[in-house]
Amino acid sequence: MATMAFTHSNQSLLRPRSFAVKDDCFCLFEGTLENLASLRQEYGLSKCVNEVLFVIEAYRTFRDRAPYPACKMVGHLEGQFAFVIFDRGTKTVFTAADSNGKVPLYWGITADGCLSFSGDAELLKAACGKSLASFPQGCFYSSASGLRSYEYPKNKVMGIPTMDGEMCGTAFKVEHENISAPMV
């Protein structure tokens, strides 16, 4: 079971929020894609396709044409964005955030054990209590394959437990050959 909700309340003019459903794929998208015009052309989509519809189409392409890796799909996105897709057909959650963290996205585990995402940390804190963290920049999460970096897809993403006052959270780092880059 999945529940999705969004509002335009407190929405930034520079980072609009949108919601769309297509072929059992539900998507919440916040932000803008600077390269949307070239992506539409690359995927053969019409000019009326906006960011949220594009992300659904790109996700479906990745899903249906395996082994097309998700890191390639998300790695082509340029701009300030965060999105959550729920694919009802495969019962999969797919989430990503831009590499600069310009659009806030948080995730946590609710009291009943469900994974939850929000752009509002206080709202998520009410649902997750002490179990939440910022979603790592430059990463994507799939309930089918876990958390990965789309910038460094061959490298592991490591979670490091943190305490911020009463909050239990996790900072994320991408392992490099001998160097770790923070993904906070």
Side-chain angles (χ1 to χ4, degrees), residues 22-146:
K22 184 170 184 182
D23 298 330
D24 277 344
C25 290
F26 300 74
C27 182
L28 292 168
F29 184 94
E30 183 173 354
T32 57
L33 296 177
E34 296 167 1
N35 61 336
L36 182 59
S38 64
L39 290 169
R40 278 185 260 192
Q41 187 173 10
E42 182 180 332
Y43 282 76
L45 301 171
S46 74
K47 291 181 181 180
C48 65
V49 170
N50 63 6
E51 283 93 345
V52 69
L53 289 172
F54 172 78
V55 167
I56 290 173
E57 288 295 335
Y59 165 79
R60 290 176 60 231
T61 299
F62 140 71
R63 179 197 69 193
D64 297 342
R65 296 184 187 163
Y68 187 63
C71 61
K72 297 284 186 198
M73 185 273 285
V74 181
H76 290 146
L77 306 180
E78 296 174 9
Q80 301 176 2
F81 64 87
F83 64 84
V84 178
I85 295 174
F86 174 67
D87 184 337
R88 185 165 59 183
T90 63
K91 307 280 190 269
T92 303
V93 173
F94 187 82
T95 305
D98 70 73
S99 60
N100 296 317
K102 297 292 184 181
V103 177
L105 182 64
Y106 305 92
W107 61 337
I109 305 296
T110 61
D112 60 355
C114 295
L115 181 61
S116 187
F117 296 91
S118 178
D120 183 341
E122 291 304 313
L123 178 68
L124 199 58
K125 184 177 178 182
C128 297
K130 297 179 181 180
S131 174
L132 73 109
S134 293
F135 191 83
Q137 302 167 8
C139 289
F140 68 93
Y141 169 82
S142 169
S143 55
S145 61

